[in-house]
Amino acid sequence: MDQNGALDSLFQEERVFRPLPQLVIEANVNPQELEAYRRQAAQDPLAYWEEAADELDWFKKWDQVLDESNPPFYRWFPGGRCNIVYNALDRHIETANKNKLALIWEGEPGDNRKYTYYELYRAVNRFAGALRSLGVAKGDRVALYMPSLPETVIAMLASAKIGAVHTLVFAGFSPKALRERLRDSGARLLVTADGFYRNGQVIQLKPLVDEALAGAEAERVDSVVVVRRTKVDVEMQDGRDFWYDDLVRNERNEAPTEVMEAGDPLFLLHTSGATGRPKGILHSHGGYMVGVHRTLTHVFDIKPTDIFWCTADPGWITGHTAVVYGPLLAGTTTVLYEGHPNYPQADRLWHIVDKYGVTIFYTVPTMIRMLMRFGVQYPRRHDLSTLRLLGTVGEPIGPEPWMWFYKNIGRSECPLLDTWWQTETGMFMLAPLPISLLKPGSVTKPLPGVEADVVDRDGNSLPSGKGGFLVIRRPWPAMAAGILGDEERFRREYYEAIPGGAYFAGDVAKKDEDGFFWIQGRADDVLNIAGHRVGTAELEAAFGSHPAVCEAAVVGVPDAIKGEAAKAFLVLNPGFQGSTDLIQDLKRHVRGELGPVAAIKGIEFRETLPRTRSGKIMRRVLKARELNVDPGDLTMLDQE
Ligand code: WT7
């Protein structure tokens, strides 16, 4: 809601950006074709997605496009047999893509490694063989606690290749958060690294793994594979820990690709919800590959010569879809950078664009806001003329960062594509194509085959200009198959929050008269910190586990760089006094519980917390006071 004012004024200004004529001529999908896709998808969505599925390779075609007999557990392409890795790698080895670069990796110190499709294919096969040698079989879970390294991509693909289910835990999560996710996933094997480079320093990772695995709960993990990146000394536990290099050395360059049912799970990825327990979102081979391939190739207009760079960490859904699977399915070249965007200076990203001739650059608004602060002298030092498309994702982008990015990075020529999607949607849902009209701050329209709407609490469609809840009315191929081990929660949180059976995205949005969508923020108790979801409940539990804290309430407050940050209101236990020392200690404690992802902006001590008669903490009252607005303005956010 925070950017409401700014968006409103812009909205009134009606600034519209049109693509250059040359771009429209060269686009893979021109405006007439996009209209035709929209019409076809509206009339017969299943035929639309069936055509998209036909663009990929299947071991056996589906019996049915969509089985809707047990909503909300929709099954895409039942009867179909495939493997996403066959489409992301194996099939390219038979074409001119074989010797094309699949992956360009740049380490923070400036070292780099490049893999052609053939080289990546072989590396994946060797690690797939290693996983099999360690006893990993179809359906087993493989956890990755990895920085951005080529081996991260390799391990994801190798797991999927043998039918195992990968589950990445972002390396910025604490050992405790890692342990919780390992327990939930039931992972048998964990892939990690000795450490990585970040901001000129070596960050050690292996000791955090040892900490997470100490104790009975994590006993299911019987093997740990360690990638040697920094050569720091690490302790290796005999019989449990293996060096990656030792494992792959004697493996073969060929390994069979497991034949999967379309609905077999591909990966599990945890995200925050309104309760203290993160949800393990499941995606499957068939639907995910079809949805991601179609939307990524359409939105980013992938050409054979592109070099595609999405700055996300592989540990988030953006990394899964837009760093690894999407670009490789499309047969393009994907870029991965290990380190900090400001190392050694605030031009590192522009340096990388220049060095490799990146053509498509996709990032989060937080990054743009941060780089904007350093000034235009940094991008000006570099040749950014290879760029042809820009994209953002993860949070609403305000008009100012939009314009800065568009002008100073995109030369006022490159379309800036604001894409709306989620961990649960797997693929881009609302987004422009390069040929679309753009309004800064709007994610424009639903993609063909996606039926989105803005509704009130009762599920009634709202007229343009009115804010409400974003819903998706029809199933889409890359939709989550469920929450691991909790069908009920999946049904309740996504399909029963609003009457009518539509998918509830958890966002507040509005439509304008032209049918453009404007996303305004989360509708639930989830913060969006630097484009990452952190649940207030998780933060409150982390505060609550400190001995000084009796009760905690956390709200999101605006932050100039991260978009949103957490502000905590705490009632202390008897005998504790609020002090700056305690504040420091609390911040350290919460960081230890959740990891650096939990950005705390302020801590305020109080005698009591505002509550409803039924005892629920009224966070919106705290938030309204914090933002100096009338709490009545926020009633829509009230989830009671
Ligand atoms: C939430 C999903 C897959 C993207 C990375 C985040 C917010 C996402 C936009 C956008 C405004 C956006 C929403 C959404 N969000 N894209 N273009 N404009 N807000 O994935 O962690 O699953 O979070 O990110 O609030 O619900 P995620």
Side-chain angles (χ1 to χ4, degrees):
M1 296 297 281
D2 310 320
Q3 308 200 7
N4 235 352
L7 286 180
D8 274 345
S9 60
L10 195 92
F11 178 51
Q12 279 148 17
E13 262 181 55
E14 279 294 330
R15 287 193 80 167
V16 173
F17 289 79
R18 283 164 209 285
L20 298 179
Q22 191 58 29
L23 194 150
V24 177
I25 293 167
E26 290 168 0
N28 292 344
V29 178
N30 68 33
Q32 295 75 30
E33 286 163 335
L34 177 58
E35 262 329 294
Y37 278 131
R38 279 197 207 289
R39 255 198 321 274
Q40 183 207 356
Q43 275 162 11
D44 192 347
L46 297 188
Y48 175 78
W49 291 119
E50 183 159 37
E51 256 180 55
D54 265 325
E55 288 174 5
L56 292 166
D57 286 358
W58 296 74
F59 303 125
K60 172 183 170 289
K61 290 270 163 112
W62 46 93
D63 301 330
Q64 201 186 342
V65 177
L66 175 64
D67 172 1
E68 300 183 72
S69 60
N70 180 28
F73 300 96
Y74 300 97
R75 293 172 58 225
W76 282 88
F77 309 110
R81 298 217 179 100
C82 61
N83 189 310
I84 193 170
V85 179
Y86 186 87
N87 284 284
L89 283 182
D90 305 13
R91 69 179 175 137
H92 296 307
I93 307 312
E94 310 296 325
T95 71
N97 282 344
K98 180 179 174 188
N99 301 315
K100 169 181 178 172
L101 284 184
L103 173 65
I104 299 175
W105 173 81
E106 164 123 339
E108 196 188 71
D111 49 338
N112 69 31
R113 271 152 68 188
K114 295 178 183 171
Y115 290 77
T116 63
Y117 271 91
Y118 190 48
E119 288 165 336
L120 187 63
Y121 166 84
R122 289 180 147 206
V124 166
N125 287 347
R126 284 194 298 273
F127 194 57
L131 288 174
R132 282 190 174 120
S133 303
L134 288 170
V136 179
K138 187 170 177 169
D140 285 345
R141 261 78 74 187
V142 170
L144 274 72
Y145 187 55
M146 286 286 277
S148 295
L149 296 177
E151 287 82 1
T152 314
V153 178
I154 292 166
M156 289 168 79
L157 295 167
S159 302
K161 174 157 187 139
I162 67 169
V165 181
H166 59 69
T167 177
L168 277 84
V169 180
F170 174 58
F173 277 117
S174 67
K176 198 171 163 192
L178 169 61
R179 184 190 304 151
E180 188 177 11
R181 285 160 176 76
L182 288 173
R183 198 187 307 156
D184 186 57
S185 66
R188 285 205 40 221
L189 182 137
L190 174 68
V191 186
T192 190
D194 54 356
F196 58 102
Y197 294 93
R198 185 90 187 163
N199 226 348
Q201 294 184 328
V202 172
I203 310 286
Q204 295 207 41
L205 212 49
K206 179 65 168 43
L208 305 186
V209 168
D210 293 335
E211 190 182 331
L213 295 184
E217 306 97 323
E219 66 199 0
R220 277 221 202 90
V221 175
D222 48 37
S223 320
V224 177
V225 177
V226 188
V227 174
R228 204 196 292 271
R229 163 63 181 142
T230 59
K231 310 218 161 58
V232 286
D233 274 344
V234 300
E235 268 182 47
M236 297 291 277
Q237 190 175 308
D238 242 8
R240 186 195 73 179
D241 300 348
F242 305 90
W243 289 110
Y244 178 96
D245 289 335
D246 293 343
L247 292 176
V248 295
R249 191 170 300 123
N250 299 319
E251 291 293 339
R252 307 165 73 89
N253 289 323
E254 293 293 329
T257 301
E258 201 72 33
V259 175
M260 307 299 286
E261 295 293 324
D264 280 342
L266 165 66
F267 66 81
L268 175 69
L269 190 58
H270 287 89
T271 187
S272 292
T275 74
R277 260 193 78 212
K279 322 177 240 199
I281 302 294
L282 275 165
H283 281 283
S284 28
H285 278 255
Y288 178 78
M289 81 178 182
V290 171
V292 169
H293 178 252
R294 169 53 62 98
T295 57
L296 188 120
T297 50
H298 272 198
V299 170
F300 284 113
D301 187 46
I302 303 290
K303 303 273 203 286
T305 50
D306 274 317
I307 296 188
F308 183 94
W309 186 17
C310 166
T311 63
D313 186 285
W316 306 103
I317 190 66
T318 324
H320 286 56
T321 297
V323 177
V324 181
Y325 288 112
L328 298 179
L329 285 169
T332 192
T333 304
T334 190
V335 177
L336 186 63
Y337 168 55
E338 174 185 40
H340 195 283
N342 292 345
Y343 183 82
Q345 283 188 61
D347 65 344
R348 185 59 184 271
L349 303 189
W350 317 131
H351 175 87
I352 294 172
V353 168
D354 187 348
K355 182 169 174 185
Y356 299 109
V358 170
T359 59
I360 305 174
F361 180 73
Y362 187 34
T363 192
V364 282
T366 292
M367 184 78 87
I368 302 161
R369 286 192 296 266
M370 184 187 73
L371 295 173
M372 197 170 113
R373 288 215 159 173
F374 287 95
V376 292
Q377 67 273 27
Y378 288 98
R380 288 215 178 118
R381 278 187 204 157
H382 300 277
D383 178 1
L384 305 181
S385 62
T386 53
L387 288 172
R388 64 179 196 94
L389 296 174
L390 304 176
T392 73
V393 60
E395 15 155 15
I397 177 167
E400 225 193 312
W402 199 101
M403 285 310 302
W404 187 87
F405 195 30
Y406 184 73
K407 272 195 190 147
N408 298 299
I409 308 304
R411 314 179 299 276
S412 301
E413 275 179 23
C414 305
L416 199 177
L417 311 169
D418 185 352
T419 59
W420 181 91
W421 55 296
Q422 308 177 296
T423 305
E424 294 87 343
T425 71
M427 66 182 207
F428 308 160
M429 299 292 280
L430 289 97
L433 267 57
I435 46 111
S436 303
L437 298 185
L438 303 174
K439 297 185 189 182
S442 168
V443 297
T444 73
K445 298 186 180 181
L447 290 168
V450 173
E451 201 193 308
D453 200 2
V454 177
V455 301
D456 67 14
R457 201 180 281 287
D458 300 319
N460 304 307
S461 190
L462 288 170
S464 61
K466 286 211 99 176
F469 301 108
L470 180 65
V471 296
I472 311 293
R473 294 205 180 277
R474 244 202 297 264
W476 63 98
M479 66 196 308
I483 297 176
L484 181 72
D486 205 342
E487 290 201 349
E488 228 2 80
R489 187 174 179 189
F490 185 71
R491 189 195 302 277
R492 197 175 59 240
E493 286 191 14
Y494 299 110
Y495 289 93
E496 289 175 355
I498 301 268
Y503 169 83
F504 172 70
D507 278 16
V508 178
K510 71 180 171 190
K511 260 191 296 188
D512 68 19
E513 289 96 37
D514 303 326
F516 279 55
F517 284 70
W518 301 74
I519 309 291
Q520 291 160 322
R522 294 290 303 184
D524 52 10
D525 287 326
V526 173
L527 309 191
N528 188 333
I529 302 178
H532 301 139
R533 269 198 256 173
V534 186
T536 51
E538 278 166 77
L539 286 156
E540 287 165 4
F543 276 107
S545 66
H546 188 283
V549 176
C550 171
E551 285 180 315
V554 171
V555 301
V557 293
D559 182 272
I561 302 288
K562 293 176 190 290
E564 208 171 17
K567 163 119 196 208
F569 299 87
L570 306 176
V571 178
L572 295 178
N573 278 317
F576 288 94
Q577 286 292 316
S579 66
T580 43
D581 278 355
L582 181 59
I583 289 179
Q584 286 318 314
D585 194 48
L586 284 162
K587 284 189 176 169
R588 241 191 332 266
H589 175 77
V590 170
R591 217 181 140 90
E593 290 283 296
L594 296 174
V597 279
I600 313 290
K601 184 144 173 167
I603 293 179
E604 193 177 308
F605 300 109
R606 299 173 56 104
E607 293 297 315
T608 56
L609 296 174
R611 288 180 184 277
T612 61
R613 246 174 294 158
S614 61
K616 240 186 128 195
I617 296 174
M618 294 175 80
R619 292 189 191 83
R620 69 190 170 89
V621 172
L622 295 167
K623 180 155 177 159
R625 201 169 302 151
E626 197 61 33
L627 302 182
N628 244 328
V629 297
D630 174 2
D633 287 343
L634 297 165
T635 43
M636 203 176 58
L637 298 183
D638 185 0
Q639 286 286 289
E640 286 165 90

